[in-house]
Amino acid sequence: MRLGSLRQLTLASFVLALVPLIALLWQSQNDLAKVGQMTSVETRYVVNVVGLMQQLDEASIDLERALRQYAIIQNETVAELSDNAIVQFIDALKAICETLPQSSTCSTLKKDITQLKTFRNIDDTMLLSAYLNSLSNNVSAMRQDVDTAIQQRLAIQQEDLNAMQAKQAWSTAMLVSVSLLLILLGSQLIVNPVKKLKLIIRMLARQQGELPPLSTHAPSELIGVEKDLHWLSDRLQQLEHIRTALLRHAAHELKTPLASIKEGCSLLSENVVGELNTQQVEVLSLLTSSTQRLNTLVEKLLDYNLLLQQAQPTFTDVDPNQMVKDCLEDYALALQDREVTVDIRTSSIVVDEELYRRILDNLISNAVAHGAIGRPINLSIYQKDGNTVLDVANRGKRIAPDAVKRLFEPFTRGDDPRNDNVIGTGLGLSIVSDCAKLMHGDVSVVDVEDADVCFRVTIPREVKQ
């Protein structure tokens, strides 16, 4: 299944994340409506039952007053008032008993009112007072029943509210969790392709392994970027193949005729084909020198080709004194011819021996070729701020600041002539820069007090693999 565009995925994720929140809002509105309805019902009930209780209290007071008046006056008018008071009390009692059907006091009050209906036949004042006291006590009991009923209803309402609150809390937690999960899912659909793009870019930069296959579950824009990166990888591989093939074939093809020329020069110099006169010996000497210079150029091409093929450096403990000694032996004749001495100062190093030797070879060759005749070369290897630092300094013409930026680019030669009259390939300093980068370091031109030109190579002692 292929996802839509990045905009569609973002909008869909946003809408999906809103669905649980909308459901939560709808449930909250329903719960709020229920709470409002419950509050309204309970408020009406309390107001109603309290009003009925007040009516019962007033009817009880009126009934007691009328009966006591009749006990004193005993005329028909007062008797009719007492009958009316009894009817009002019965109506009030009926109304409140319908509201409180579970109250047992209703039956007691009905018995009391039945006894008081015969007030015309009650001549004993003490007995009437006893009946009225019983009625008053039972009315007070009814008041307690009303209070109890109200408290029970409030307790039930509180339980309902607590249950509703707990339900709301669980619903909120669940729906918010679902929203977060949907948000994470939607973001993951974007993050995973982006991580894959970052992985492809790192693989392109390091030239490590084959690229992963094209994604099928990703936004169309990111799939398009991934396709472009795959195309770029193929293009880079083609260019890399062309470059290495060009260097390899050029070096190889030059080696074959060069070997024939050197062999011919050797035969001539050994007088195999006969004695040579002075002019012929001079020409042969020039030819041999040119052949040697051509051999040096071919070796630099091969050296650069090998550098391109090396993938990862191997760091080991290296004896810098022996490495410098071996390197200077290759330039002994050139140093002797130009009366150049080398001031050496070294310390222990942990580097890739092959790469570091290439750096030394090219920097010393550059110092010999461009340094002033009869002036010393300073070579220092030391530790600074957790780095292994190599300084190769010589006296001569300073390098222009604008030329430093392109000095380490391949096939870039300086404008100043070499002291050895050899036409350089422009690869020496490029090889130095590439070797330093393979060891996670760099090379730069720095200003020092006791030299005109100083190349500094900095290699970290602790490299993160």
Side-chain angles (χ1 to χ4, degrees), residues 12 16 79 150 211 215 236 247-248 274 282 321 328 342 389 423:
L16 286 177
I150 293 174
L211 299 184
S215 301
L236 290 176
L247 291 174
R248 184 173 60 252
E282 184 178 354
N321 294 317
L328 292 178
V342 181
V389 182
I423 300 176

Side-chain angles (χ1 to χ4, degrees), residues 294-310:
L294 181 59
N295 185 69
T296 301
L297 297 179
V298 173
E299 288 179 352
K300 285 185 175 293
L301 283 175
L302 290 173
D303 193 40
Y304 190 66
N305 187 43
L306 291 174
L307 176 65
L308 293 177
Q309 295 175 1
Q310 180 163 344

Side-chain angles (χ1 to χ4, degrees), residues 358-420:
R358 293 179 187 175
I359 291 175
L360 280 174
D361 283 338
N362 285 282
L363 289 181
I364 292 175
S365 173
N366 187 76
V368 172
H370 296 280
I373 297 176
R375 302 296 300 278
I377 295 173
N378 296 96
L379 191 152
S380 302
I381 300 176
Y382 56 95
Q383 308 297 324
K384 181 179 180 181
D385 299 331
N387 298 320
T388 299
V389 182
L390 165 65
D391 286 350
V392 178
N394 62 273
R395 283 77 179 169
K397 188 175 181 180
R398 292 182 178 273
I399 303 174
D402 56 344
V404 174
K405 298 180 180 179
R406 53 185 178 84
L407 199 61
F408 301 101
E409 297 178 0
F411 305 106
T412 300
R413 295 192 298 268
D415 298 331
D416 299 328
R418 295 167 60 99
N419 295 329
D420 53 4

